[in-house]
Amino acid sequence: MTIETISEHRSFGGQQGFYRQQSAVTGTPMRFAVYQPPQAQQHRVPVLFYLAGLTCTEETFAIKAGAQRVAAQLGLMLVTCDTSPRQTGIVGEADDWEFGSGAGFYLNATRAPWSRHFRMYDYVLSELRETVLAHFPGARGQLGIFGHSMGGHGALVLALRNPEVYRSVSALAPICSPSRCPWGVKAFSGYLGEDRAAWADYDAVELLKACARRVFPEILVDQGLADKFLPQGQLLPELLESACAQAGQPLRLRRHESYGHDYYFIATFVEEHLRFHADALAGLGP
């Protein structure tokens, strides 16, 4: 479980680092980033995993969100990863921004040729988590997860399926029900095949319907009302809202006038998400 340091940078008394590992799960090199707050120099700290959206990399959130200042105040470690394996040799993997490179959808592909490398669900849940906890002073019992767009979908799914691992979850403009939107139908068909029963494992709305109970004390979701993908039916927050209500899962869904789908939106509300997770993780043991 060795890692290679690409670069490290002092930031708000802590350290923003970029790393690479040879992944046994994807069979490819995978890049990830870790922000260690100043408190990590003295003791283990809560860890918040961020999953990025389509076309993004492990650098996008670290560079654009402006989260390090608040993470340093709160003593939160921030972990981001790439959004898919890269340069796998699969023909056409980088031809479409909605599928393949940069569009792993945080699932385990079962359809060839993608099934050999595109296993982002297992990578995030197991390999990335264990790598971070082995090499950085993160507290195993204080892990949270959040994400944006495709990454918001990934965060919701990973958290709902593994509440014993991720103790808090939030999302910014998430793809709430991939089984019912053009992005998700395209990705799920390509990665999982046409059996829609297999899609339900990676759809937050379907997971909530299946469990029919409260999984977390609260889920926080922010959605911009000027988001160009909202009227296109890509995000479907109303379905998440309905599924949470039916399951008895508390949801704080905040809709914001004039905000879009971009990192200006994310940077505006990221502090509140970090504070939401810090509060949720604070009472848990390391």
Side-chain angles (χ1 to χ4, degrees), residues 47-75:
V47 184
L48 184 54
F49 291 84
Y50 174 85
L51 305 183
L54 289 163
T55 76
C56 293
T57 72
E58 77 289 347
E59 292 184 315
T60 313
F61 179 83
I63 294 171
K64 292 186 175 182
Q68 291 90 342
R69 175 183 60 83
V70 179
Q73 293 174 2
L74 298 174

Side-chain angles (χ1 to χ4, degrees), residues 95-159:
D95 291 351
D96 186 345
W97 69 275
E98 297 176 338
F99 185 79
S101 293
F105 269 82
Y106 303 102
L107 51 72
N108 290 335
T110 55
R111 186 180 181 189
W114 309 98
S115 55
R116 182 176 178 183
H117 300 292
F118 278 66
R119 303 184 58 81
M120 290 298 294
Y121 179 89
D122 280 354
Y123 173 70
V124 173
L125 175 62
S126 300
E127 192 171 37
L128 176 65
R129 174 168 58 103
E130 292 304 323
T131 298
V132 168
L133 293 174
H135 290 273
F136 303 92
R140 181 176 293 274
Q142 294 174 291
L143 308 183
I145 192 166
F146 74 138
H148 170 239
S149 194
M150 177 185 71
H153 138 73
L156 290 169
V157 167
L158 278 154

Side-chain angles (χ1 to χ4, degrees), residues 145-147 152 155-156 168-174 176 216-223 240 244 249-256 269-278 280:
I145 192 166
F146 74 138
L156 290 169
S168 60
V169 59
S170 70
L172 296 132
C176 294
F216 293 93
E218 186 177 45
I219 296 173
L220 172 63
V221 173
D222 281 301
Q223 175 63 58
L240 180 67
C244 282
Q249 169 59 56
L251 171 69
R252 195 189 331 167
L253 173 57
R254 309 189 301 182
R255 296 174 169 90
H256 305 280
F269 298 105
V270 70
E271 177 171 350
E272 294 173 66
H273 281 253
L274 266 58
R275 293 189 181 280
F276 169 82
H277 287 276

Side-chain angles (χ1 to χ4, degrees), residues 194-207:
E194 300 302 328
D195 180 9
R196 287 184 172 245
W199 297 9
D201 286 342
Y202 300 105
D203 187 308
V205 168
E206 294 304 315
L207 291 171

Side-chain angles (χ1 to χ4, degrees), residues 1-6 19-24 28-32 123 127-128 130-132 134-136:
M1 200 182 291
T2 60
I3 64 173
E4 173 191 354
T5 300
I6 299 171
Y19 309 93
R20 179 166 40 231
Q21 66 178 142
Q22 181 61 39
S23 170
T28 66
M30 292 295 297
R31 301 191 308 269
F32 66 97
Y123 173 70
E127 192 171 37
L128 176 65
E130 292 304 323
T131 298
V132 168
H135 290 273
F136 303 92

